[in-house]
Every structure is written in structure tokens, then in C-alpha cells.
Amino acid sequence: MKAFARIAVLLALLIPAGTLRAEEQQQEPDIKAIVLGHIGDSYEWHVLSTAGGEWSIPLPVIVHSPSSGWHCFSSSRLREGAEYEGLRIASEGEHAGKVVERQADGSDLRPLDLSLTKTAAALLLNSAILLCLVLGVARWYRRHKATDRAPKGFVALFEMLVSGIMDSVIKPCVGPNYRKFAPYLLTAFFFIFVNNLMGLIPFFPGGANVSGNIAVTFILALATFLAVNIFGTKHYWKDILWPDVPVWLKAFPLMPLIELVGIFTKPFALMIRLFANMLAGHAVILSLTCVIFATAGMGAVINGSMSFASVLFSIFMYCLELLVAFLQAYVFTMLSAVFIGLAQERPEKHAAETADNH
């Protein structure tokens, strides 16, 4: 039971700032606000809430207003609805949760926002972690020869992941030209995997919903879109714009229209799949955690039993999310490799000659 209590405390750290204040414990918690507050972006990185107050790391606010120019200051100046240099964080309306500037007529203007938000800070932190891991493994290989004994520990695990992705995904899906796209595909896999794992850590510096941010998944899908279409072969574009179909189908360009739509639906599916799966996982875990506080006023028996069930289901979901963290990185890499491989298609005659030469 002590282990369950410790896990419950760790899960409770996921609750955003201010939700467990002493004066609010008698009120029914706003589950929707708690969940959306965690999976959404913010101008500060919440660390911990205690009875004595809340701890968070302020991040730099960098905005440009057409009327007042550039502003750069700490987000701590905008806490509790405060206003600084005519700027504040909107609490409601179209720009809720975003920095706005009050105009002379009383309306709110959304300035150009280049602030370092929680998601952006976590993205930089996770990228630095991934870079350190890769450089650390590369350093080991530089110090050892190919004839030396096989690596152990983390280096061996990293080598196993790289070899597994190369042999089971990149080589068979991309085809003979796999070396050209292997760096990008391996980078995409480990980038998504590290961000997914860091998002499951329920305390600082983890917990940020990077992979569940649609802007991040959009950039990843855009990278795959560019890799597919910029490096696509002439045969790939011929099959799209002038496919080998009966003449009467070419007179009415139905097939080219369908293929052109497919160019955009493939990366769109990549973007939505990764975004939706990681967002849903965070929302489910946080909702299960909130059951503890939602039943606090229903008596000791109900609250105790529901808290016990909440901890059990949260542990199960965490284990499941560990699997999902790997699967989503694997699926994104595999589908990207498949789309790139289809764009590397060559005429059957040329492909046969290449196979004979090998």
C-alpha cells in the first residue's frame, strides 16, 4: 500500500498550478479545466503545487505589437491576470490563454507571439537530451574498433534499436536507395520516442505534452511530405499526373485528381495519428488521477475505494503508454518509410536490370 501511496503522490504532481490550494479543496474540481490545462501550452512551466503555494518556472515572453513594438519580459509579470506594458494573458474569449494587448477601444489585439512556451522549452530540452544520447553512443564507437567486443548497457540497447529499425523498417520499405533516407527516418523515430517518454514523466523536467501538440506533429509530417515529393522519381510523378490507364480515363482526369489528393492525405494522416494518440493518452491518465479529487467529498469509503481503483488503472495506463510511446514512433517511421519507398518507384524493366546487377 505504501508503494501505491507513493505512485498516487507522483500522479498528483500532474495537476496544474493552483488546483489543490487549501481554499479550493472544499470545491468540486473542474476536471475539464485540469485536463486541458495540462495538455495545453502555457507561458510558464509548472513544477509543483503545495499547501504553501505553487512552484513554476517563468519563461520569456517575446511579442511584437503593431502599436507598441517589441516586448520582452518574464511571464511571472503576467501571473494571476496581471497586466504589464499593456499586455496580459486572456482568460476567456477567442484568445483565451494567449497574450493579448488591450486597445484604446477596449478590444484585445493578438500580437505576433514568439514567446518560449512550455512546449517549445520542452522541445529544446528533449532535443538536447537526444543529442547527448546520440553523441555519447557515437563517442563509444569512435573509441572502439569493429573487432572489439560488443558494447554493453545503454550503447547495446541503442545499437539494437538502430539495427532493428534499419533491418525491419527502413531497408524493406524504402528499397535499394535506403541509405539516402536512413538519417532522417532514424532521427524521426528517436525524436518522437524521446518526446513520448519524457511526456510520461509526471514531474519536472518531464510531463510536457510535446508529441500531443499538433504544431509539432505538423512539422514532422511536413518533413516526410518534402522527403517524399522532392526526392520522388520521374516514374512516381508520371504515375500521378499521367498514369497507365485507358485513354477514356485520361480524357477525364479522375485518376490524377485522386492521386494529387493522396499526396496531401498521407502526411495529414501521419500528423493526426501521432497527435491524437499521444493527446488521448495524456488525457486518460490525467482524468483517472482526477477521480481521486472528484470523489473527495463523497465520504471516506467511496473516496478510498475510488482512489485505489484510480491508482491501479493509472498504473495500467502508464504501462500501456510506455508501449504506445514506442509504437507511435515506430508506426510514424514505418509509414514515412513506406511513402518514401513508393516515391522511389522505378519502371519494372529498370528495376529488373538493377536486381540482376546486384
PDB file of all heavy atoms in Angstrom, residues 12 72 89 104 109 112 122 148 154 176-177 210 226-227 277 299 310 321 339:
ATOM      1  N   ALA A  12      -0.321  12.861  -8.635  1.00  0.00           N
ATOM      2  CA  ALA A  12      -0.922  14.135  -8.239  1.00  0.00           C
ATOM      3  C   ALA A  12      -0.091  15.323  -8.689  1.00  0.00           C
ATOM      4  O   ALA A  12      -0.608  16.425  -8.837  1.00  0.00           O
ATOM      5  CB  ALA A  12      -1.088  14.176  -6.718  1.00  0.00           C
ATOM      6  N   CYS A  72       9.748  42.231 -24.362  1.00  0.00           N
ATOM      7  CA  CYS A  72      10.442  41.023 -23.902  1.00  0.00           C
ATOM      8  C   CYS A  72      10.560  41.101 -22.382  1.00  0.00           C
ATOM      9  O   CYS A  72      11.208  42.003 -21.846  1.00  0.00           O
ATOM     10  CB  CYS A  72      11.821  40.926 -24.550  1.00  0.00           C
ATOM     11  SG  CYS A  72      12.726  39.417 -24.078  1.00  0.00           S
ATOM     12  N   ILE A  89      -2.547  37.974 -20.212  1.00  0.00           N
ATOM     13  CA  ILE A  89      -2.978  36.683 -20.733  1.00  0.00           C
ATOM     14  C   ILE A  89      -4.498  36.628 -20.663  1.00  0.00           C
ATOM     15  O   ILE A  89      -5.073  36.737 -19.578  1.00  0.00           O
ATOM     16  CB  ILE A  89      -2.358  35.522 -19.938  1.00  0.00           C
ATOM     17  CG1 ILE A  89      -0.839  35.566 -20.049  1.00  0.00           C
ATOM     18  CG2 ILE A  89      -2.884  34.188 -20.450  1.00  0.00           C
ATOM     19  CD1 ILE A  89      -0.138  34.487 -19.257  1.00  0.00           C
ATOM     20  N   ALA A 104      -7.286  50.912 -27.450  1.00  0.00           N
ATOM     21  CA  ALA A 104      -7.958  52.101 -26.921  1.00  0.00           C
ATOM     22  C   ALA A 104      -9.474  51.930 -26.878  1.00  0.00           C
ATOM     23  O   ALA A 104     -10.142  52.474 -25.992  1.00  0.00           O
ATOM     24  CB  ALA A 104      -7.586  53.322 -27.767  1.00  0.00           C
ATOM     25  N   LEU A 109      -6.048  42.855 -28.937  1.00  0.00           N
ATOM     26  CA  LEU A 109      -5.269  42.585 -30.146  1.00  0.00           C
ATOM     27  C   LEU A 109      -4.285  41.469 -29.846  1.00  0.00           C
ATOM     28  O   LEU A 109      -3.583  41.501 -28.839  1.00  0.00           O
ATOM     29  CB  LEU A 109      -4.522  43.832 -30.599  1.00  0.00           C
ATOM     30  CG  LEU A 109      -3.523  43.648 -31.754  1.00  0.00           C
ATOM     31  CD1 LEU A 109      -4.259  43.303 -33.036  1.00  0.00           C
ATOM     32  CD2 LEU A 109      -2.657  44.892 -31.933  1.00  0.00           C
ATOM     33  N   LEU A 112       2.107  39.552 -32.552  1.00  0.00           N
ATOM     34  CA  LEU A 112       2.984  38.487 -33.037  1.00  0.00           C
ATOM     35  C   LEU A 112       3.690  37.882 -31.835  1.00  0.00           C
ATOM     36  O   LEU A 112       4.435  38.562 -31.131  1.00  0.00           O
ATOM     37  CB  LEU A 112       3.985  39.044 -34.041  1.00  0.00           C
ATOM     38  CG  LEU A 112       5.066  38.071 -34.536  1.00  0.00           C
ATOM     39  CD1 LEU A 112       4.438  36.927 -35.325  1.00  0.00           C
ATOM     40  CD2 LEU A 112       6.099  38.806 -35.391  1.00  0.00           C
ATOM     41  N   ALA A 122      10.238  22.476 -23.660  1.00  0.00           N
ATOM     42  CA  ALA A 122      10.381  21.019 -23.561  1.00  0.00           C
ATOM     43  C   ALA A 122      10.945  20.436 -24.843  1.00  0.00           C
ATOM     44  O   ALA A 122      11.738  19.483 -24.813  1.00  0.00           O
ATOM     45  CB  ALA A 122       9.022  20.391 -23.247  1.00  0.00           C
ATOM     46  N   ASP A 148      36.577  -5.182 -31.676  1.00  0.00           N
ATOM     47  CA  ASP A 148      36.450  -5.241 -30.217  1.00  0.00           C
ATOM     48  C   ASP A 148      35.166  -5.953 -29.818  1.00  0.00           C
ATOM     49  O   ASP A 148      34.289  -6.215 -30.648  1.00  0.00           O
ATOM     50  CB  ASP A 148      36.469  -3.829 -29.624  1.00  0.00           C
ATOM     51  CG  ASP A 148      37.827  -3.171 -29.794  1.00  0.00           C
ATOM     52  OD1 ASP A 148      38.801  -3.895 -30.087  1.00  0.00           O
ATOM     53  OD2 ASP A 148      37.903  -1.937 -29.654  1.00  0.00           O
ATOM     54  N   PHE A 154      23.644   0.765 -22.148  1.00  0.00           N
ATOM     55  CA  PHE A 154      22.840   1.655 -22.978  1.00  0.00           C
ATOM     56  C   PHE A 154      23.294   1.646 -24.429  1.00  0.00           C
ATOM     57  O   PHE A 154      22.467   1.719 -25.343  1.00  0.00           O
ATOM     58  CB  PHE A 154      22.907   3.086 -22.421  1.00  0.00           C
ATOM     59  CG  PHE A 154      22.174   4.080 -23.268  1.00  0.00           C
ATOM     60  CD1 PHE A 154      20.795   4.169 -23.224  1.00  0.00           C
ATOM     61  CD2 PHE A 154      22.872   4.915 -24.136  1.00  0.00           C
ATOM     62  CE1 PHE A 154      20.118   5.077 -24.016  1.00  0.00           C
ATOM     63  CE2 PHE A 154      22.201   5.824 -24.934  1.00  0.00           C
ATOM     64  CZ  PHE A 154      20.821   5.901 -24.870  1.00  0.00           C
ATOM     65  N   PRO A 176      16.303  -0.147 -52.381  1.00  0.00           N
ATOM     66  CA  PRO A 176      17.762  -0.071 -52.581  1.00  0.00           C
ATOM     67  C   PRO A 176      18.372   1.278 -52.207  1.00  0.00           C
ATOM     68  O   PRO A 176      19.541   1.351 -51.856  1.00  0.00           O
ATOM     69  CB  PRO A 176      17.927  -0.346 -54.078  1.00  0.00           C
ATOM     70  CG  PRO A 176      16.686  -1.065 -54.493  1.00  0.00           C
ATOM     71  CD  PRO A 176      15.600  -0.522 -53.630  1.00  0.00           C
ATOM     72  N   ASN A 177      17.589   2.327 -52.277  1.00  0.00           N
ATOM     73  CA  ASN A 177      18.110   3.668 -52.006  1.00  0.00           C
ATOM     74  C   ASN A 177      17.917   4.065 -50.545  1.00  0.00           C
ATOM     75  O   ASN A 177      17.789   5.243 -50.218  1.00  0.00           O
ATOM     76  CB  ASN A 177      17.407   4.679 -52.923  1.00  0.00           C
ATOM     77  CG  ASN A 177      18.228   5.931 -53.123  1.00  0.00           C
ATOM     78  OD1 ASN A 177      19.440   5.928 -52.941  1.00  0.00           O
ATOM     79  ND2 ASN A 177      17.564   7.014 -53.481  1.00  0.00           N
ATOM     80  N   VAL A 210       4.555  17.290 -25.663  1.00  0.00           N
ATOM     81  CA  VAL A 210       5.176  17.735 -26.918  1.00  0.00           C
ATOM     82  C   VAL A 210       4.594  16.978 -28.110  1.00  0.00           C
ATOM     83  O   VAL A 210       4.163  17.588 -29.095  1.00  0.00           O
ATOM     84  CB  VAL A 210       6.709  17.557 -26.860  1.00  0.00           C
ATOM     85  CG1 VAL A 210       7.342  17.933 -28.196  1.00  0.00           C
ATOM     86  CG2 VAL A 210       7.294  18.401 -25.743  1.00  0.00           C
ATOM     87  N   LEU A 226       7.946  16.559 -47.662  1.00  0.00           N
ATOM     88  CA  LEU A 226       9.016  17.094 -48.507  1.00  0.00           C
ATOM     89  C   LEU A 226       9.957  15.987 -48.960  1.00  0.00           C
ATOM     90  O   LEU A 226      10.393  15.970 -50.124  1.00  0.00           O
ATOM     91  CB  LEU A 226       9.788  18.164 -47.741  1.00  0.00           C
ATOM     92  CG  LEU A 226       9.002  19.432 -47.381  1.00  0.00           C
ATOM     93  CD1 LEU A 226       9.859  20.368 -46.541  1.00  0.00           C
ATOM     94  CD2 LEU A 226       8.499  20.138 -48.629  1.00  0.00           C
ATOM     95  N   ALA A 227      10.282  15.058 -48.064  1.00  0.00           N
ATOM     96  CA  ALA A 227      11.172  13.952 -48.433  1.00  0.00           C
ATOM     97  C   ALA A 227      10.548  13.086 -49.526  1.00  0.00           C
ATOM     98  O   ALA A 227      11.242  12.599 -50.427  1.00  0.00           O
ATOM     99  CB  ALA A 227      11.497  13.108 -47.203  1.00  0.00           C
ATOM    100  N   ASN A 277      -3.222  10.116 -30.739  1.00  0.00           N
ATOM    101  CA  ASN A 277      -2.868   9.031 -29.822  1.00  0.00           C
ATOM    102  C   ASN A 277      -2.156   9.550 -28.579  1.00  0.00           C
ATOM    103  O   ASN A 277      -2.465   9.122 -27.458  1.00  0.00           O
ATOM    104  CB  ASN A 277      -1.984   8.003 -30.538  1.00  0.00           C
ATOM    105  CG  ASN A 277      -2.781   7.032 -31.377  1.00  0.00           C
ATOM    106  OD1 ASN A 277      -3.380   6.087 -30.876  1.00  0.00           O
ATOM    107  ND2 ASN A 277      -2.824   7.271 -32.683  1.00  0.00           N
ATOM    108  N   GLY A 299     -17.307  10.956   0.929  1.00  0.00           N
ATOM    109  CA  GLY A 299     -17.119  10.062   2.051  1.00  0.00           C
ATOM    110  C   GLY A 299     -15.842   9.265   1.928  1.00  0.00           C
ATOM    111  O   GLY A 299     -15.296   9.068   0.832  1.00  0.00           O
ATOM    112  N   SER A 310      -8.382   4.215  -8.971  1.00  0.00           N
ATOM    113  CA  SER A 310      -7.726   5.209  -9.820  1.00  0.00           C
ATOM    114  C   SER A 310      -6.238   4.940  -9.940  1.00  0.00           C
ATOM    115  O   SER A 310      -5.666   5.018 -11.036  1.00  0.00           O
ATOM    116  CB  SER A 310      -7.962   6.617  -9.256  1.00  0.00           C
ATOM    117  OG  SER A 310      -7.208   7.572  -9.966  1.00  0.00           O
ATOM    118  N   GLU A 321       0.944   3.203 -21.948  1.00  0.00           N
ATOM    119  CA  GLU A 321       1.501   4.364 -22.642  1.00  0.00           C
ATOM    120  C   GLU A 321       2.985   4.188 -22.944  1.00  0.00           C
ATOM    121  O   GLU A 321       3.498   4.749 -23.918  1.00  0.00           O
ATOM    122  CB  GLU A 321       1.286   5.632 -21.814  1.00  0.00           C
ATOM    123  CG  GLU A 321      -0.110   6.204 -21.928  1.00  0.00           C
ATOM    124  CD  GLU A 321      -0.437   6.628 -23.345  1.00  0.00           C
ATOM    125  OE1 GLU A 321       0.265   7.487 -23.896  1.00  0.00           O
ATOM    126  OE2 GLU A 321      -1.392   6.072 -23.915  1.00  0.00           O
ATOM    127  N   PHE A 339       5.925   5.555 -47.554  1.00  0.00           N
ATOM    128  CA  PHE A 339       5.616   6.633 -48.501  1.00  0.00           C
ATOM    129  C   PHE A 339       6.858   7.032 -49.309  1.00  0.00           C
ATOM    130  O   PHE A 339       6.756   7.292 -50.521  1.00  0.00           O
ATOM    131  CB  PHE A 339       5.068   7.851 -47.747  1.00  0.00           C
ATOM    132  CG  PHE A 339       3.783   7.584 -47.023  1.00  0.00           C
ATOM    133  CD1 PHE A 339       3.429   8.317 -45.903  1.00  0.00           C
ATOM    134  CD2 PHE A 339       2.918   6.589 -47.454  1.00  0.00           C
ATOM    135  CE1 PHE A 339       2.249   8.071 -45.237  1.00  0.00           C
ATOM    136  CE2 PHE A 339       1.726   6.327 -46.788  1.00  0.00           C
ATOM    137  CZ  PHE A 339       1.398   7.085 -45.670  1.00  0.00           C
TER     138      PHE A 339
END
